[in-house]
Amino acid sequence: MEARLAWERLAGPLEELEKCLGDRDPSSVALPQSGEKFNCSRDEDCHKHFGTILSNGIITGVCLQDYRRCEIQGWCPTENDDVEIEPMLDIDNFTIFIKNSIRFPLFDVTRGNFPSSMTSQEIKSCTFHPVKNPFCPIFRVGDVLNYTKQTTKDLAHKGGEIGINIQWKCNLDLNIEECVPQYSFTRLDKPFEKNAVSKGYNFRFAKYFKTENGTEFRTLHKVFAIRFDVMVTGSAGKFNTIPTLINLVAAFTSVGLGTVLCDIILLNFLKGAEQYKAKKFEEVSDAQIEASLAQSPVSQLSLKTGQPDREAFPRDTDSRPESSLLLLPSVRVKEDDSVSDKRISSPANENQLMQLM
């Protein structure tokens, strides 16, 4: 949505326009192109301008000796940017009425930018102020320019673009009346403020006429204006259990806590916790450990001292410890409350091992 405060100037006086056109079709009028860059002394000087987009018509390639300018085919007279105008400065007390609504279809909520309880008399007498009257839809032009640190004088000659941003940020878990707009103001063309070309804001339009004898002519207007762009953004949220759980599970899984959390729940809070614990962990009694170690003296000595049993493998020059085979201890497996011994067969002694080698 946009609004404009505009002041305009003519491309040329109307009487000069009519005198130039006469009874000829303006689409075929030959006239000199304004601008020093189109100066010429011979036709060849104009050939370099063929196809240019900076002229006000089509370059014919002919140098008009009376004007020392290249000839164009187009509307007469050409636009003259040197015409000075006196802009209207008394616009600070102009007002802008903004009526805005926003809808959040996911929550079936629709809100307006001023309270439904506001009467017509209150709207007519109020003026927006960010602190004293933040919900009034009437904006004074001078105040809007002050919020953007601009003045009418700064924008009078070249115009400008002012942005009015209406932001809705609603927490629908709270009272719906707390879902209200917040206004902010900025100058949109500020990055181009110091440019040598294309400063401010302007546009052109033409009014076309036809005389009784069928001759067409036009009045070209170049308008400098203050343009107000109203931009609306919004977001709303409401607590929901399912998305919250999904996000929590995803967060725990991403940091490796998913397995730990599942084990805590299965081992402590479910009815089958004992069965899960029996499958996950193997309980071994002290008697089973001692019985297993008694069958393997080498391993028993190693477990008690915490160091490898050096005496079990004497470093004799005639022995070959690297070829010796350790006696593996028996493993007791508990299955269906019955205990069975499973032993891994090994050579009876080192002599048998040497014979096999």
Side-chain angles (χ1 to χ4, degrees), residues 37-74:
K37 71 176 85 177
F38 294 99
N39 291 345
C40 63
S41 59
R42 53 180 182 171
D43 293 347
E44 287 74 11
D45 296 336
C46 299
H47 294 174
K48 62 182 180 181
H49 298 298
F50 283 145
T52 181
I53 61 174
L54 301 178
S55 62
N56 296 104
I58 301 174
I59 298 291
T60 62
V62 177
C63 180
L64 299 177
Q65 297 298 328
D66 294 341
Y67 300 96
R68 294 290 182 178
R69 296 284 177 84
C70 295
E71 183 187 60
I72 64 169
Q73 183 179 9

PDB file of all heavy atoms in Angstrom, residues 37-74:
ATOM      1  N   LYS A  37      25.707  17.058 -24.390  1.00  0.00           N
ATOM      2  CA  LYS A  37      26.323  15.854 -24.961  1.00  0.00           C
ATOM      3  C   LYS A  37      25.871  15.600 -26.400  1.00  0.00           C
ATOM      4  O   LYS A  37      26.513  14.856 -27.132  1.00  0.00           O
ATOM      5  CB  LYS A  37      25.999  14.638 -24.084  1.00  0.00           C
ATOM      6  CG  LYS A  37      24.553  14.205 -24.167  1.00  0.00           C
ATOM      7  CD  LYS A  37      24.297  12.953 -23.355  1.00  0.00           C
ATOM      8  CE  LYS A  37      24.022  13.321 -21.922  1.00  0.00           C
ATOM      9  NZ  LYS A  37      23.696  12.140 -21.112  1.00  0.00           N
ATOM     10  N   PHE A  38      24.743  16.237 -26.814  1.00  0.00           N
ATOM     11  CA  PHE A  38      24.236  16.070 -28.171  1.00  0.00           C
ATOM     12  C   PHE A  38      24.615  17.251 -29.073  1.00  0.00           C
ATOM     13  O   PHE A  38      24.017  17.422 -30.136  1.00  0.00           O
ATOM     14  CB  PHE A  38      22.712  15.892 -28.141  1.00  0.00           C
ATOM     15  CG  PHE A  38      22.264  14.627 -27.471  1.00  0.00           C
ATOM     16  CD1 PHE A  38      21.839  14.632 -26.155  1.00  0.00           C
ATOM     17  CD2 PHE A  38      22.293  13.421 -28.154  1.00  0.00           C
ATOM     18  CE1 PHE A  38      21.429  13.473 -25.531  1.00  0.00           C
ATOM     19  CE2 PHE A  38      21.887  12.251 -27.536  1.00  0.00           C
ATOM     20  CZ  PHE A  38      21.465  12.268 -26.219  1.00  0.00           C
ATOM     21  N   ASN A  39      25.596  18.055 -28.657  1.00  0.00           N
ATOM     22  CA  ASN A  39      26.099  19.123 -29.528  1.00  0.00           C
ATOM     23  C   ASN A  39      26.791  18.517 -30.747  1.00  0.00           C
ATOM     24  O   ASN A  39      27.398  17.429 -30.674  1.00  0.00           O
ATOM     25  CB  ASN A  39      27.081  20.016 -28.777  1.00  0.00           C
ATOM     26  CG  ASN A  39      26.387  20.848 -27.705  1.00  0.00           C
ATOM     27  OD1 ASN A  39      25.166  20.965 -27.710  1.00  0.00           O
ATOM     28  ND2 ASN A  39      27.163  21.428 -26.802  1.00  0.00           N
ATOM     29  N   CYS A  40      26.731  19.214 -31.863  1.00  0.00           N
ATOM     30  CA  CYS A  40      27.325  18.695 -33.095  1.00  0.00           C
ATOM     31  C   CYS A  40      27.677  19.845 -34.033  1.00  0.00           C
ATOM     32  O   CYS A  40      27.160  20.958 -33.911  1.00  0.00           O
ATOM     33  CB  CYS A  40      26.383  17.720 -33.785  1.00  0.00           C
ATOM     34  SG  CYS A  40      24.830  18.488 -34.332  1.00  0.00           S
ATOM     35  N   SER A  41      28.551  19.548 -34.964  1.00  0.00           N
ATOM     36  CA  SER A  41      28.892  20.499 -36.032  1.00  0.00           C
ATOM     37  C   SER A  41      28.664  19.890 -37.410  1.00  0.00           C
ATOM     38  O   SER A  41      28.616  20.598 -38.409  1.00  0.00           O
ATOM     39  CB  SER A  41      30.355  20.939 -35.891  1.00  0.00           C
ATOM     40  OG  SER A  41      31.220  19.821 -35.959  1.00  0.00           O
ATOM     41  N   ARG A  42      28.505  18.587 -37.462  1.00  0.00           N
ATOM     42  CA  ARG A  42      28.232  17.891 -38.723  1.00  0.00           C
ATOM     43  C   ARG A  42      27.436  16.620 -38.406  1.00  0.00           C
ATOM     44  O   ARG A  42      27.348  16.177 -37.244  1.00  0.00           O
ATOM     45  CB  ARG A  42      29.529  17.543 -39.438  1.00  0.00           C
ATOM     46  CG  ARG A  42      30.517  16.782 -38.585  1.00  0.00           C
ATOM     47  CD  ARG A  42      31.783  16.461 -39.339  1.00  0.00           C
ATOM     48  NE  ARG A  42      32.686  15.679 -38.492  1.00  0.00           N
ATOM     49  CZ  ARG A  42      33.803  15.111 -38.953  1.00  0.00           C
ATOM     50  NH1 ARG A  42      34.124  15.240 -40.254  1.00  0.00           N
ATOM     51  NH2 ARG A  42      34.571  14.419 -38.149  1.00  0.00           N
ATOM     52  N   ASP A  43      26.900  16.022 -39.447  1.00  0.00           N
ATOM     53  CA  ASP A  43      26.031  14.860 -39.244  1.00  0.00           C
ATOM     54  C   ASP A  43      26.774  13.686 -38.608  1.00  0.00           C
ATOM     55  O   ASP A  43      26.196  12.917 -37.825  1.00  0.00           O
ATOM     56  CB  ASP A  43      25.420  14.418 -40.573  1.00  0.00           C
ATOM     57  CG  ASP A  43      24.451  15.443 -41.131  1.00  0.00           C
ATOM     58  OD1 ASP A  43      24.078  16.365 -40.363  1.00  0.00           O
ATOM     59  OD2 ASP A  43      24.083  15.334 -42.324  1.00  0.00           O
ATOM     60  N   GLU A  44      28.067  13.538 -38.970  1.00  0.00           N
ATOM     61  CA  GLU A  44      28.825  12.395 -38.442  1.00  0.00           C
ATOM     62  C   GLU A  44      28.921  12.432 -36.913  1.00  0.00           C
ATOM     63  O   GLU A  44      29.065  11.389 -36.258  1.00  0.00           O
ATOM     64  CB  GLU A  44      30.231  12.357 -39.052  1.00  0.00           C
ATOM     65  CG  GLU A  44      30.281  11.917 -40.499  1.00  0.00           C
ATOM     66  CD  GLU A  44      29.775  12.997 -41.454  1.00  0.00           C
ATOM     67  OE1 GLU A  44      29.597  14.150 -40.985  1.00  0.00           O
ATOM     68  OE2 GLU A  44      29.569  12.693 -42.643  1.00  0.00           O
ATOM     69  N   ASP A  45      28.837  13.611 -36.299  1.00  0.00           N
ATOM     70  CA  ASP A  45      28.903  13.716 -34.836  1.00  0.00           C
ATOM     71  C   ASP A  45      27.689  13.096 -34.163  1.00  0.00           C
ATOM     72  O   ASP A  45      27.736  12.736 -32.978  1.00  0.00           O
ATOM     73  CB  ASP A  45      29.021  15.190 -34.423  1.00  0.00           C
ATOM     74  CG  ASP A  45      30.313  15.836 -34.911  1.00  0.00           C
ATOM     75  OD1 ASP A  45      31.279  15.081 -35.153  1.00  0.00           O
ATOM     76  OD2 ASP A  45      30.348  17.078 -35.038  1.00  0.00           O
ATOM     77  N   CYS A  46      26.609  12.979 -34.900  1.00  0.00           N
ATOM     78  CA  CYS A  46      25.374  12.420 -34.317  1.00  0.00           C
ATOM     79  C   CYS A  46      25.257  10.911 -34.502  1.00  0.00           C
ATOM     80  O   CYS A  46      24.424  10.263 -33.845  1.00  0.00           O
ATOM     81  CB  CYS A  46      24.148  13.092 -34.941  1.00  0.00           C
ATOM     82  SG  CYS A  46      24.078  14.874 -34.677  1.00  0.00           S
ATOM     83  N   HIS A  47      26.074  10.345 -35.380  1.00  0.00           N
ATOM     84  CA  HIS A  47      25.957   8.915 -35.642  1.00  0.00           C
ATOM     85  C   HIS A  47      26.335   8.065 -34.420  1.00  0.00           C
ATOM     86  O   HIS A  47      25.852   6.943 -34.283  1.00  0.00           O
ATOM     87  CB  HIS A  47      26.837   8.535 -36.836  1.00  0.00           C
ATOM     88  CG  HIS A  47      26.371   9.146 -38.126  1.00  0.00           C
ATOM     89  ND1 HIS A  47      27.091   9.033 -39.304  1.00  0.00           N
ATOM     90  CD2 HIS A  47      25.264   9.888 -38.444  1.00  0.00           C
ATOM     91  CE1 HIS A  47      26.446   9.667 -40.277  1.00  0.00           C
ATOM     92  NE2 HIS A  47      25.335  10.193 -39.770  1.00  0.00           N
ATOM     93  N   LYS A  48      27.198   8.597 -33.576  1.00  0.00           N
ATOM     94  CA  LYS A  48      27.610   7.820 -32.386  1.00  0.00           C
ATOM     95  C   LYS A  48      26.475   7.685 -31.372  1.00  0.00           C
ATOM     96  O   LYS A  48      26.556   6.878 -30.440  1.00  0.00           O
ATOM     97  CB  LYS A  48      28.810   8.471 -31.717  1.00  0.00           C
ATOM     98  CG  LYS A  48      28.538   9.877 -31.206  1.00  0.00           C
ATOM     99  CD  LYS A  48      29.785  10.493 -30.595  1.00  0.00           C
ATOM    100  CE  LYS A  48      29.505  11.923 -30.089  1.00  0.00           C
ATOM    101  NZ  LYS A  48      30.729  12.535 -29.520  1.00  0.00           N
ATOM    102  N   HIS A  49      25.385   8.448 -31.563  1.00  0.00           N
ATOM    103  CA  HIS A  49      24.262   8.392 -30.623  1.00  0.00           C
ATOM    104  C   HIS A  49      23.147   7.478 -31.105  1.00  0.00           C
ATOM    105  O   HIS A  49      22.098   7.399 -30.445  1.00  0.00           O
ATOM    106  CB  HIS A  49      23.694   9.799 -30.388  1.00  0.00           C
ATOM    107  CG  HIS A  49      24.668  10.756 -29.781  1.00  0.00           C
ATOM    108  ND1 HIS A  49      25.230  10.565 -28.545  1.00  0.00           N
ATOM    109  CD2 HIS A  49      25.193  11.926 -30.267  1.00  0.00           C
ATOM    110  CE1 HIS A  49      26.045  11.572 -28.262  1.00  0.00           C
ATOM    111  NE2 HIS A  49      26.047  12.412 -29.295  1.00  0.00           N
ATOM    112  N   PHE A  50      23.364   6.785 -32.203  1.00  0.00           N
ATOM    113  CA  PHE A  50      22.340   5.850 -32.679  1.00  0.00           C
ATOM    114  C   PHE A  50      22.066   4.792 -31.602  1.00  0.00           C
ATOM    115  O   PHE A  50      22.982   4.175 -31.058  1.00  0.00           O
ATOM    116  CB  PHE A  50      22.784   5.157 -33.967  1.00  0.00           C
ATOM    117  CG  PHE A  50      22.654   6.025 -35.200  1.00  0.00           C
ATOM    118  CD1 PHE A  50      23.578   5.937 -36.238  1.00  0.00           C
ATOM    119  CD2 PHE A  50      21.608   6.917 -35.324  1.00  0.00           C
ATOM    120  CE1 PHE A  50      23.453   6.724 -37.372  1.00  0.00           C
ATOM    121  CE2 PHE A  50      21.479   7.704 -36.458  1.00  0.00           C
ATOM    122  CZ  PHE A  50      22.405   7.614 -37.482  1.00  0.00           C
ATOM    123  N   GLY A  51      20.789   4.559 -31.319  1.00  0.00           N
ATOM    124  CA  GLY A  51      20.416   3.525 -30.352  1.00  0.00           C
ATOM    125  C   GLY A  51      20.531   3.947 -28.899  1.00  0.00           C
ATOM    126  O   GLY A  51      20.314   3.126 -28.006  1.00  0.00           O
ATOM    127  N   THR A  52      20.858   5.214 -28.622  1.00  0.00           N
ATOM    128  CA  THR A  52      21.001   5.644 -27.236  1.00  0.00           C
ATOM    129  C   THR A  52      19.643   5.666 -26.537  1.00  0.00           C
ATOM    130  O   THR A  52      18.595   5.891 -27.161  1.00  0.00           O
ATOM    131  CB  THR A  52      21.648   7.035 -27.174  1.00  0.00           C
ATOM    132  OG1 THR A  52      21.803   7.415 -25.802  1.00  0.00           O
ATOM    133  CG2 THR A  52      20.788   8.078 -27.871  1.00  0.00           C
ATOM    134  N   ILE A  53      19.666   5.445 -25.239  1.00  0.00           N
ATOM    135  CA  ILE A  53      18.437   5.486 -24.437  1.00  0.00           C
ATOM    136  C   ILE A  53      18.356   6.762 -23.623  1.00  0.00           C
ATOM    137  O   ILE A  53      17.447   6.936 -22.813  1.00  0.00           O
ATOM    138  CB  ILE A  53      18.372   4.267 -23.489  1.00  0.00           C
ATOM    139  CG1 ILE A  53      19.553   4.285 -22.522  1.00  0.00           C
ATOM    140  CG2 ILE A  53      18.303   2.969 -24.277  1.00  0.00           C
ATOM    141  CD1 ILE A  53      19.481   3.194 -21.461  1.00  0.00           C
ATOM    142  N   LEU A  54      19.315   7.673 -23.825  1.00  0.00           N
ATOM    143  CA  LEU A  54      19.366   8.907 -23.052  1.00  0.00           C
ATOM    144  C   LEU A  54      18.687  10.070 -23.748  1.00  0.00           C
ATOM    145  O   LEU A  54      18.596  11.162 -23.181  1.00  0.00           O
ATOM    146  CB  LEU A  54      20.830   9.273 -22.752  1.00  0.00           C
ATOM    147  CG  LEU A  54      21.630   8.234 -21.968  1.00  0.00           C
ATOM    148  CD1 LEU A  54      23.066   8.697 -21.783  1.00  0.00           C
ATOM    149  CD2 LEU A  54      20.978   7.949 -20.629  1.00  0.00           C
ATOM    150  N   SER A  55      18.221   9.874 -24.960  1.00  0.00           N
ATOM    151  CA  SER A  55      17.553  10.956 -25.681  1.00  0.00           C
ATOM    152  C   SER A  55      16.055  10.881 -25.435  1.00  0.00           C
ATOM    153  O   SER A  55      15.531   9.885 -24.928  1.00  0.00           O
ATOM    154  CB  SER A  55      17.856  10.863 -27.172  1.00  0.00           C
ATOM    155  OG  SER A  55      17.359   9.652 -27.704  1.00  0.00           O
ATOM    156  N   ASN A  56      15.342  11.942 -25.819  1.00  0.00           N
ATOM    157  CA  ASN A  56      13.892  12.005 -25.667  1.00  0.00           C
ATOM    158  C   ASN A  56      13.158  11.550 -26.920  1.00  0.00           C
ATOM    159  O   ASN A  56      11.941  11.750 -27.036  1.00  0.00           O
ATOM    160  CB  ASN A  56      13.459  13.434 -25.329  1.00  0.00           C
ATOM    161  CG  ASN A  56      14.002  13.882 -23.985  1.00  0.00           C
ATOM    162  OD1 ASN A  56      14.951  14.659 -23.913  1.00  0.00           O
ATOM    163  ND2 ASN A  56      13.413  13.385 -22.908  1.00  0.00           N
ATOM    164  N   GLY A  57      13.874  10.979 -27.831  1.00  0.00           N
ATOM    165  CA  GLY A  57      13.274  10.471 -29.054  1.00  0.00           C
ATOM    166  C   GLY A  57      14.289   9.644 -29.824  1.00  0.00           C
ATOM    167  O   GLY A  57      15.333   9.246 -29.284  1.00  0.00           O
ATOM    168  N   ILE A  58      14.003   9.392 -31.088  1.00  0.00           N
ATOM    169  CA  ILE A  58      14.877   8.583 -31.930  1.00  0.00           C
ATOM    170  C   ILE A  58      15.873   9.500 -32.641  1.00  0.00           C
ATOM    171  O   ILE A  58      15.475  10.468 -33.311  1.00  0.00           O
ATOM    172  CB  ILE A  58      14.054   7.792 -32.963  1.00  0.00           C
ATOM    173  CG1 ILE A  58      13.049   6.882 -32.242  1.00  0.00           C
ATOM    174  CG2 ILE A  58      14.968   6.964 -33.856  1.00  0.00           C
ATOM    175  CD1 ILE A  58      12.095   6.185 -33.197  1.00  0.00           C
ATOM    176  N   ILE A  59      17.165   9.232 -32.479  1.00  0.00           N
ATOM    177  CA  ILE A  59      18.197  10.015 -33.152  1.00  0.00           C
ATOM    178  C   ILE A  59      18.135   9.742 -34.657  1.00  0.00           C
ATOM    179  O   ILE A  59      18.208   8.588 -35.096  1.00  0.00           O
ATOM    180  CB  ILE A  59      19.593   9.677 -32.600  1.00  0.00           C
ATOM    181  CG1 ILE A  59      19.677  10.035 -31.102  1.00  0.00           C
ATOM    182  CG2 ILE A  59      20.677  10.399 -33.384  1.00  0.00           C
ATOM    183  CD1 ILE A  59      19.647  11.516 -30.820  1.00  0.00           C
ATOM    184  N   THR A  60      18.005  10.809 -35.435  1.00  0.00           N
ATOM    185  CA  THR A  60      17.922  10.644 -36.899  1.00  0.00           C
ATOM    186  C   THR A  60      19.287  10.652 -37.568  1.00  0.00           C
ATOM    187  O   THR A  60      19.403  10.243 -38.730  1.00  0.00           O
ATOM    188  CB  THR A  60      17.070  11.775 -37.500  1.00  0.00           C
ATOM    189  OG1 THR A  60      17.698  13.038 -37.240  1.00  0.00           O
ATOM    190  CG2 THR A  60      15.672  11.775 -36.884  1.00  0.00           C
ATOM    191  N   GLY A  61      20.333  11.121 -36.869  1.00  0.00           N
ATOM    192  CA  GLY A  61      21.657  11.200 -37.463  1.00  0.00           C
ATOM    193  C   GLY A  61      21.929  12.492 -38.199  1.00  0.00           C
ATOM    194  O   GLY A  61      22.972  12.631 -38.841  1.00  0.00           O
ATOM    195  N   VAL A  62      21.008  13.460 -38.112  1.00  0.00           N
ATOM    196  CA  VAL A  62      21.156  14.753 -38.785  1.00  0.00           C
ATOM    197  C   VAL A  62      21.526  15.807 -37.752  1.00  0.00           C
ATOM    198  O   VAL A  62      20.950  15.850 -36.655  1.00  0.00           O
ATOM    199  CB  VAL A  62      19.860  15.153 -39.514  1.00  0.00           C
ATOM    200  CG1 VAL A  62      20.003  16.543 -40.149  1.00  0.00           C
ATOM    201  CG2 VAL A  62      19.496  14.105 -40.552  1.00  0.00           C
ATOM    202  N   CYS A  63      22.493  16.633 -38.082  1.00  0.00           N
ATOM    203  CA  CYS A  63      22.896  17.739 -37.217  1.00  0.00           C
ATOM    204  C   CYS A  63      22.168  19.002 -37.668  1.00  0.00           C
ATOM    205  O   CYS A  63      22.316  19.442 -38.815  1.00  0.00           O
ATOM    206  CB  CYS A  63      24.409  17.935 -37.270  1.00  0.00           C
ATOM    207  SG  CYS A  63      25.012  19.294 -36.238  1.00  0.00           S
ATOM    208  N   LEU A  64      21.336  19.578 -36.771  1.00  0.00           N
ATOM    209  CA  LEU A  64      20.611  20.804 -37.081  1.00  0.00           C
ATOM    210  C   LEU A  64      21.554  21.989 -36.873  1.00  0.00           C
ATOM    211  O   LEU A  64      21.914  22.319 -35.745  1.00  0.00           O
ATOM    212  CB  LEU A  64      19.376  20.934 -36.180  1.00  0.00           C
ATOM    213  CG  LEU A  64      18.335  19.815 -36.310  1.00  0.00           C
ATOM    214  CD1 LEU A  64      17.201  20.033 -35.321  1.00  0.00           C
ATOM    215  CD2 LEU A  64      17.804  19.734 -37.727  1.00  0.00           C
ATOM    216  N   GLN A  65      21.962  22.616 -37.988  1.00  0.00           N
ATOM    217  CA  GLN A  65      22.971  23.669 -37.922  1.00  0.00           C
ATOM    218  C   GLN A  65      22.457  24.908 -37.192  1.00  0.00           C
ATOM    219  O   GLN A  65      23.243  25.638 -36.573  1.00  0.00           O
ATOM    220  CB  GLN A  65      23.426  24.037 -39.341  1.00  0.00           C
ATOM    221  CG  GLN A  65      24.103  22.897 -40.094  1.00  0.00           C
ATOM    222  CD  GLN A  65      25.377  22.439 -39.407  1.00  0.00           C
ATOM    223  OE1 GLN A  65      26.070  23.240 -38.771  1.00  0.00           O
ATOM    224  NE2 GLN A  65      25.684  21.148 -39.527  1.00  0.00           N
ATOM    225  N   ASP A  66      21.146  25.150 -37.244  1.00  0.00           N
ATOM    226  CA  ASP A  66      20.614  26.330 -36.556  1.00  0.00           C
ATOM    227  C   ASP A  66      20.757  26.204 -35.032  1.00  0.00           C
ATOM    228  O   ASP A  66      20.907  27.212 -34.333  1.00  0.00           O
ATOM    229  CB  ASP A  66      19.145  26.532 -36.906  1.00  0.00           C
ATOM    230  CG  ASP A  66      18.962  26.892 -38.382  1.00  0.00           C
ATOM    231  OD1 ASP A  66      19.963  27.333 -38.996  1.00  0.00           O
ATOM    232  OD2 ASP A  66      17.853  26.693 -38.903  1.00  0.00           O
ATOM    233  N   TYR A  67      20.699  24.975 -34.527  1.00  0.00           N
ATOM    234  CA  TYR A  67      20.776  24.753 -33.077  1.00  0.00           C
ATOM    235  C   TYR A  67      22.113  24.148 -32.644  1.00  0.00           C
ATOM    236  O   TYR A  67      22.427  24.134 -31.457  1.00  0.00           O
ATOM    237  CB  TYR A  67      19.652  23.806 -32.626  1.00  0.00           C
ATOM    238  CG  TYR A  67      18.263  24.327 -32.916  1.00  0.00           C
ATOM    239  CD1 TYR A  67      17.580  23.932 -34.066  1.00  0.00           C
ATOM    240  CD2 TYR A  67      17.639  25.185 -32.034  1.00  0.00           C
ATOM    241  CE1 TYR A  67      16.300  24.389 -34.329  1.00  0.00           C
ATOM    242  CE2 TYR A  67      16.352  25.652 -32.288  1.00  0.00           C
ATOM    243  CZ  TYR A  67      15.686  25.261 -33.433  1.00  0.00           C
ATOM    244  OH  TYR A  67      14.434  25.726 -33.690  1.00  0.00           O
ATOM    245  N   ARG A  68      22.876  23.635 -33.615  1.00  0.00           N
ATOM    246  CA  ARG A  68      24.115  22.900 -33.322  1.00  0.00           C
ATOM    247  C   ARG A  68      23.825  21.705 -32.398  1.00  0.00           C
ATOM    248  O   ARG A  68      24.593  21.391 -31.505  1.00  0.00           O
ATOM    249  CB  ARG A  68      25.140  23.825 -32.661  1.00  0.00           C
ATOM    250  CG  ARG A  68      25.649  24.940 -33.573  1.00  0.00           C
ATOM    251  CD  ARG A  68      26.524  24.360 -34.665  1.00  0.00           C
ATOM    252  NE  ARG A  68      27.063  25.407 -35.541  1.00  0.00           N
ATOM    253  CZ  ARG A  68      27.893  25.178 -36.552  1.00  0.00           C
ATOM    254  NH1 ARG A  68      28.260  23.934 -36.811  1.00  0.00           N
ATOM    255  NH2 ARG A  68      28.327  26.163 -37.314  1.00  0.00           N
ATOM    256  N   ARG A  69      22.682  21.058 -32.623  1.00  0.00           N
ATOM    257  CA  ARG A  69      22.276  19.879 -31.853  1.00  0.00           C
ATOM    258  C   ARG A  69      21.819  18.784 -32.796  1.00  0.00           C
ATOM    259  O   ARG A  69      21.386  19.049 -33.927  1.00  0.00           O
ATOM    260  CB  ARG A  69      21.127  20.215 -30.895  1.00  0.00           C
ATOM    261  CG  ARG A  69      21.466  21.232 -29.804  1.00  0.00           C
ATOM    262  CD  ARG A  69      22.300  20.586 -28.701  1.00  0.00           C
ATOM    263  NE  ARG A  69      22.694  21.545 -27.696  1.00  0.00           N
ATOM    264  CZ  ARG A  69      21.946  21.918 -26.671  1.00  0.00           C
ATOM    265  NH1 ARG A  69      20.744  21.419 -26.535  1.00  0.00           N
ATOM    266  NH2 ARG A  69      22.405  22.779 -25.802  1.00  0.00           N
ATOM    267  N   CYS A  70      21.935  17.543 -32.290  1.00  0.00           N
ATOM    268  CA  CYS A  70      21.470  16.411 -33.085  1.00  0.00           C
ATOM    269  C   CYS A  70      19.945  16.402 -33.135  1.00  0.00           C
ATOM    270  O   CYS A  70      19.262  16.734 -32.159  1.00  0.00           O
ATOM    271  CB  CYS A  70      21.978  15.098 -32.490  1.00  0.00           C
ATOM    272  SG  CYS A  70      23.771  14.915 -32.542  1.00  0.00           S
ATOM    273  N   GLU A  71      19.432  15.982 -34.284  1.00  0.00           N
ATOM    274  CA  GLU A  71      17.990  15.952 -34.493  1.00  0.00           C
ATOM    275  C   GLU A  71      17.417  14.637 -33.969  1.00  0.00           C
ATOM    276  O   GLU A  71      18.020  13.570 -34.076  1.00  0.00           O
ATOM    277  CB  GLU A  71      17.700  16.086 -35.987  1.00  0.00           C
ATOM    278  CG  GLU A  71      16.216  16.130 -36.310  1.00  0.00           C
ATOM    279  CD  GLU A  71      15.978  16.084 -37.804  1.00  0.00           C
ATOM    280  OE1 GLU A  71      16.392  15.084 -38.439  1.00  0.00           O
ATOM    281  OE2 GLU A  71      15.392  17.041 -38.345  1.00  0.00           O
ATOM    282  N   ILE A  72      16.215  14.736 -33.367  1.00  0.00           N
ATOM    283  CA  ILE A  72      15.499  13.541 -32.921  1.00  0.00           C
ATOM    284  C   ILE A  72      14.096  13.586 -33.495  1.00  0.00           C
ATOM    285  O   ILE A  72      13.597  14.651 -33.889  1.00  0.00           O
ATOM    286  CB  ILE A  72      15.425  13.446 -31.383  1.00  0.00           C
ATOM    287  CG1 ILE A  72      14.608  14.617 -30.825  1.00  0.00           C
ATOM    288  CG2 ILE A  72      16.795  13.361 -30.758  1.00  0.00           C
ATOM    289  CD1 ILE A  72      14.268  14.451 -29.358  1.00  0.00           C
ATOM    290  N   GLN A  73      13.458  12.439 -33.519  1.00  0.00           N
ATOM    291  CA  GLN A  73      12.065  12.349 -33.934  1.00  0.00           C
ATOM    292  C   GLN A  73      11.257  11.977 -32.697  1.00  0.00           C
ATOM    293  O   GLN A  73      11.431  10.916 -32.118  1.00  0.00           O
ATOM    294  CB  GLN A  73      11.885  11.291 -35.021  1.00  0.00           C
ATOM    295  CG  GLN A  73      10.466  11.205 -35.545  1.00  0.00           C
ATOM    296  CD  GLN A  73      10.326  10.165 -36.638  1.00  0.00           C
ATOM    297  OE1 GLN A  73      11.251   9.396 -36.886  1.00  0.00           O
ATOM    298  NE2 GLN A  73       9.193  10.149 -37.299  1.00  0.00           N
ATOM    299  N   GLY A  74      10.390  12.876 -32.247  1.00  0.00           N
ATOM    300  CA  GLY A  74       9.635  12.632 -31.034  1.00  0.00           C
ATOM    301  C   GLY A  74       8.742  13.798 -30.704  1.00  0.00           C
ATOM    302  O   GLY A  74       8.449  14.648 -31.543  1.00  0.00           O
TER     303      GLY A  74
END
